[in-house]
Amino acid sequence: MAALRRKFGEDYQVVNTNRAATFSAPVKKKRQRFVDKNGRCNVQHGNLGGETSRYFSDLFTTLVDLKWRWNMLIFILTYTIAWLVMASMWWIIAYIRGDLNHGHDASYTPCVANVYNFPSAFLFFIETEATIGYGYRYITEKCPEGIILFLFQSLMGSIVDAFLIGCMFIKMSQPKKRAETLMFSQDAVISQRDGKLCLMFRVGNLRNSHMVSAQIRCKLIKSRQTPEGEFLPLDQCELDVGFGTGADQLFLVSPLTICHEINPKSPFFDLSQRSLMNEEFEIVVILEGIVETTGMTCQARTSYTEDEVLWGHRFLPVMSLEEGFFRVDYSQFHSTFEVPTPPYSVKEHEEKNSLPSPLSTPTPTLTESYGARRDRVFSVDCINISEERKGGTGGRLPSKLQRMSSSGKEDLQRKVLLLSSQHSEKACSTGDLPLKLQRLTSSPGPEAENRLQLKSLKVGFEPMTQSTGDLYQHSPTPKLSPSPVPMHSPLLSARGRPEDNLPAKLRKMNADR
């Protein structure tokens, strides 16, 4: 099977010829990820051209970023070449001075004692470089060129040791392996939390040592096209996981569920259960923090494709209370279970709620209808002077109202109410008056007559209704006469007769009649 797949490709499937067997749907081809589940980025830089020299300008970082096999190869080759070069230089000095021909001559003083071939020169360099000092091979005072070479060897040896050993130490102390003990859930889920649709995934720390100042970020990797027609491959969009509320700052002692609320600002605002099957995106999760033991910054990464986002699922709880401590069951860390979740998107939900309902049309309440009726309630002496204002101050008062002013109290009430019933928008009957006013108008006696002069109730259309007392305020003040006032007049006031409260033209009209 493996050979057939290598020959015909990964999409090759064995078809069963048995008629009773059912044919399975073709498996969806696994697409290329931008970031692997272990956090490795699938990006390779090519065709650098002349930019390759930039790597040698930062040689230390270049060596640290190399893989371990290349680091070990460079480490071994550097020391081997350095030893061979320096041993060759000691052998050349012995050869030039002729020490190789007098190796066993006791009366001859060589530059380096007991060095008469290349292996002996190599052993002398190793003993000097490693500060072993066996005492058999040593440099003499009659070799100034050997002394200079010895000083150069000591300096270069210290530099090479510091460079290579420093690279190895930094590479070994890198917190990349610390990220191996930071876990992410295999799948992300979409379900409701606190009445809101949320995208959630889980993070955990396997070590007892804490991650100081742990912070989490999420990026949405998705290709898109701008309104101007520009195509943006692998466009990066930030996913809010609580940056404004501080929820992105984690206290990672026990497994935590990270939540991204899907709202109008979220790129998943129009994502539904059906559209999720046709989407192509990748969610990259980045967890950063300081390792408590070493004080170095650690970063752990993972990603979720659209196939790893489960709609309508929720994570199983992993915390349990034991005797004096809390236990975390990591066997259920990746487990989920289905929960009731609406299949439509948040956008569709808001559009559905924004549609007006026929049952939600506003109807006037009892208080509103009562207030509308109160706008049409006036006192007994309330009349409409809108026609007088249209005609000017010189308009004539109806003769019927003049006759009513001289009639009795009961006759005036009955006729004014009859006149007001013809124009319901200008006045209303005493039946619409409050009960207290009705009692006042029906009660006999001088006290009732004195209180009969009522002010107009406060209404919405105040300029359209005024009482005879208001007419007196808008007219020039006439000179009062000391003539007696009949007590039966309904327009009785403390100032005199009712005719005295009328304007001069109205009184002249009454006199002409």
Side-chain angles (χ1 to χ4, degrees):
M1 178 63 68
L4 292 174
R5 287 179 180 267
R6 285 195 299 268
K7 182 177 181 180
F8 297 101
E10 294 295 330
D11 295 336
Y12 178 81
Q13 292 182 351
V14 176
V15 179
N16 193 352
T17 58
N18 188 6
R19 295 183 179 180
T22 58
F23 294 95
S24 60
V27 180
K28 184 178 179 181
K29 185 177 180 180
K30 186 177 180 181
R31 68 179 184 87
Q32 183 64 44
R33 305 177 72 103
F34 187 69
V35 178
D36 289 336
K37 297 295 287 184
N38 58 1
R40 186 178 63 88
C41 298
N42 294 320
V43 178
Q44 293 184 0
H45 304 281
N47 297 328
L48 297 177
E51 304 298 331
T52 311
S53 59
R54 295 176 179 267
Y55 288 99
F56 295 99
S57 61
D58 189 11
L59 187 58
F60 184 82
T61 306
T62 303
L63 292 177
V64 172
D65 289 340
L66 291 176
K67 295 183 179 180
W68 270 107
R69 54 180 177 266
W70 297 108
N71 274 274
M72 296 301 297
L73 179 61
I74 292 174
F75 187 85
I76 294 173
L77 288 178
T78 301
Y79 274 106
T80 303
I81 293 174
W83 292 343
L84 292 174
V85 170
M86 295 304 296
S88 300
M89 294 179 70
W90 285 110
W91 180 82
I92 292 173
I93 291 176
Y95 178 79
I96 294 175
R97 286 175 58 89
D99 296 343
L100 300 179
N101 300 326
H102 303 82
H104 300 282
D105 190 358
S107 61
Y108 181 76
T109 305
C111 181
V112 179
N114 300 318
V115 172
Y116 18 79
N117 51 22
F118 182 79
S120 59
F122 184 79
L123 290 175
F124 169 75
F125 167 76
I126 295 298
E127 292 175 10
T128 306
E129 179 66 22
T131 64
I132 297 174
Y134 293 113
Y136 183 70
R137 298 175 180 90
Y138 56 91
I139 187 172
T140 62
E141 68 278 0
K142 294 182 179 182
C143 184
E145 60 271 17
I147 296 174
I148 295 174
L149 182 60
F150 176 77
L151 295 176
F152 177 75
Q153 173 188 329
S154 301
L155 293 175
M156 289 302 297
S158 301
I159 293 174
V160 171
D161 290 343
F163 188 80
L164 293 180
I165 295 175
C167 286
M168 299 297 290
F169 175 77
I170 293 297
K171 191 168 184 63
M172 287 188 296
S173 61
Q174 276 187 328
K176 289 184 178 180
K177 294 301 178 181
R178 177 63 176 90
E180 298 293 335
T181 55
L182 296 175
M183 293 182 59
F184 296 93
S185 58
Q186 291 291 338
D187 301 314
V189 299
I190 293 180
S191 60
Q192 285 187 329
R193 172 178 283 190
D194 297 330
K196 301 176 182 179
L197 198 64
C198 299
L199 170 71
M200 294 173 286
F201 57 91
R202 182 178 278 173
V203 241
N205 183 15
L206 298 180
R207 290 188 180 273
N208 292 328
S209 59
H210 300 166
M211 292 290 295
V212 182
S213 302
Q215 184 179 11
I216 195 163
R217 296 182 293 119
C218 289
K219 294 283 187 179
L220 176 64
I221 310 297
K222 184 179 180 181
S223 301
R224 68 181 183 92
Q225 188 173 7
T226 62
E228 296 78 13
E230 180 185 4
F231 180 72
L232 302 177
L234 302 178
D235 184 46
Q236 299 185 14
C237 177
E238 187 77 19
L239 292 181
D240 186 12
V241 287
F243 178 77
T245 59
D248 59 334
Q249 304 291 333
L250 307 181
F251 182 56
L252 200 57
V253 179
S254 61
L256 300 177
T257 301
I258 310 301
C259 178
H260 165 68
E261 179 184 344
I262 302 178
N263 51 27
K265 297 181 180 180
S266 171
F268 298 129
F269 181 56
D270 55 351
L271 181 67
S272 62
Q273 185 176 8
R274 177 176 298 180
S275 63
L276 180 61
M277 303 177 183
N278 303 324
E279 289 285 344
E280 288 189 2
F281 60 85
E282 186 173 349
I283 303 172
V284 178
V285 182
I286 305 171
L287 175 62
E288 294 179 341
I290 301 175
V291 182
E292 187 180 28
T293 54
T294 61
M296 302 183 69
T297 303
C298 173
Q299 185 180 93
R301 296 182 296 267
T302 190
S303 68
Y304 300 99
T305 59
E306 68 279 356
D307 299 330
E308 298 169 345
V309 178
L310 306 179
W311 189 282
H313 283 246
R314 187 179 298 165
F315 289 106
L316 285 173
V318 295
M319 293 285 295
S320 61
L321 179 60
E322 303 292 339
E323 290 293 335
F325 61 92
F326 294 92
R327 179 181 296 277
V328 180
D329 183 13
Y330 279 99
S331 63
Q332 304 293 333
F333 185 81
H334 305 285
S335 302
T336 62
F337 63 97
E338 294 187 6
V339 292
T341 305
Y344 45 82
S345 64
V346 179
K347 181 179 180 180
E348 296 172 351
H349 179 69
E350 291 187 358
E351 290 177 353
K352 181 180 178 181
N353 293 340
S354 62
L355 294 176
S357 176
L359 300 178
S360 62
T361 54
T363 56
T365 59
L366 181 61
T367 57
E368 293 177 355
S369 60
Y370 176 73
R373 292 183 60 187
R374 287 196 58 186
D375 290 345
R376 309 173 80 177
V377 175
F378 302 90
S379 60
V380 179
D381 60 335
C382 177
I383 62 173
N384 185 279
I385 63 168
S386 60
E387 298 179 359
E388 180 184 352
R389 289 190 175 183
K390 293 180 181 179
T393 55
R396 294 176 175 272
L397 191 68
S399 59
K400 184 179 291 188
L401 186 60
Q402 297 177 15
R403 289 195 300 269
M404 286 191 295
S405 63
S406 60
S407 61
K409 167 185 171 183
E410 298 180 358
D411 187 30
L412 174 63
Q413 297 176 3
R414 183 168 57 255
K415 290 185 177 183
V416 169
L417 294 176
L418 180 62
L419 179 63
S420 61
S421 64
Q422 298 177 2
H423 305 282
S424 60
E425 296 180 358
K426 301 178 182 178
C428 57
S429 63
T430 56
D432 293 334
L433 294 174
L435 183 61
K436 187 176 181 179
L437 296 180
Q438 296 181 22
R439 292 176 181 175
L440 181 62
T441 55
S442 60
S443 59
E447 181 180 358
E449 293 176 353
N450 293 336
R451 296 172 59 185
L452 190 62
Q453 183 67 25
L454 301 176
K455 295 182 180 181
S456 301
L457 296 177
K458 187 175 181 180
V459 295
F461 302 92
E462 185 176 358
M464 298 180 62
T465 57
Q466 295 182 358
S467 63
T468 54
D470 296 331
L471 292 176
Y472 173 75
Q473 295 179 3
H474 293 284
S475 61
T477 306
K479 185 176 181 181
L480 299 177
S481 60
S483 58
V485 180
M487 296 300 297
H488 64 273
S489 175
L491 302 177
L492 181 63
S493 63
R495 295 186 179 183
R497 295 184 307 167
E499 292 80 6
D500 296 338
N501 295 331
L502 297 176
K505 285 190 176 183
L506 297 181
R507 287 189 284 105
K508 184 178 179 180
M509 291 168 55
N510 292 336
D512 295 340
R513 184 189 61 179

